[in-house]
């Protein structure tokens, strides 16, 4: 059974940084596309970024371009999200996700999900 576990969330002031990590167990997922989504209560889950299995292709939501960086370490079965210049509107629960096909910005296309980690940015 595949399990994704996120860590690194927390409370930070606007302009600060956080680094989220997600590790997979139960299956290598080393060739899977991995992504970060976020969700605010009452709103749909939205893509933040995704990265291909090789790391050669990345995608970012317009709202985070230039501030967030997604990366992965297949040897550790991990994916990371470096978040800089955080804004209050980045406050959300952040989810790690994976799929065994090419990347997609749609949450419905992902089969594997973590439990989420809260990121709160104070103004």
């Amino acid at each position: 059974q595949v399990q994704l576990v996120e860590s690194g969330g927390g409370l930070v002031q606007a302009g600060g940084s956080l680094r989220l990590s997600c590790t997979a167990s139960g299956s290598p997922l080393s060739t899977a596309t991995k992504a970060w989504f976020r969700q605010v209560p009452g709103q749909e889950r939205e893509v933040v970024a995704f990265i291909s299995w090789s790391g050669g292709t990345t995608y970012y939501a317009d709202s985070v371009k230039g501030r967030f960086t997604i990366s992965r370490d297949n040897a550790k079965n991990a994916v990371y999200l470096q978040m800089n210049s955080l804004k209050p509107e980045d406050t959300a629960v952040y989810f790690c996700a994976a799929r065994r096909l090419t990347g997609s910005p749609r949450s419905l296309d992902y089969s594997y999900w973590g439990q989420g980690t809260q990121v709160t940015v104070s103004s």
Side-chain angles (χ1 to χ4, degrees):
Q1 182 177 354
V2 176
Q3 186 174 18
L4 300 176
V5 179
E6 302 98 337
S7 62
L11 173 64
V12 64
Q13 289 187 333
S17 298
L18 282 175
R19 186 185 190 226
L20 305 183
S21 300
C22 172
T23 56
S25 62
S27 174
L29 290 179
S30 58
T31 58
T33 295
K34 293 184 176 176
W36 288 96
F37 285 79
R38 65 187 182 186
Q39 189 169 24
V40 175
Q43 298 184 17
E44 292 188 358
R45 193 168 295 188
E46 64 175 8
V47 68
V48 176
F50 63 75
I51 185 168
S52 63
W53 70 270
S54 68
T57 299
T58 56
Y59 169 94
Y60 295 93
D62 288 342
S63 59
V64 306
K65 281 181 182 177
R67 301 188 297 121
F68 291 10
T69 302
I70 189 170
S71 61
R72 65 189 294 163
D73 184 336
N74 290 338
K76 295 182 179 179
N77 219 2
V79 62
Y80 309 99
L81 186 69
Q82 178 66 44
M83 306 186 294
N84 298 328
S85 302
L86 282 160
K87 304 175 181 179
E89 51 264 45
D90 294 318
T91 295
V93 178
Y94 283 70
F95 296 89
C96 172
R99 71 189 298 251
R100 297 192 184 277
L101 298 174
T102 56
S104 169
R106 303 193 318 161
S107 61
L108 293 176
D109 290 337
Y110 288 80
S111 303
Y112 307 104
W113 289 89
Q115 82 289 349
T117 185
Q118 176 71 44
V119 171
T120 303
V121 184
S122 63
S123 57

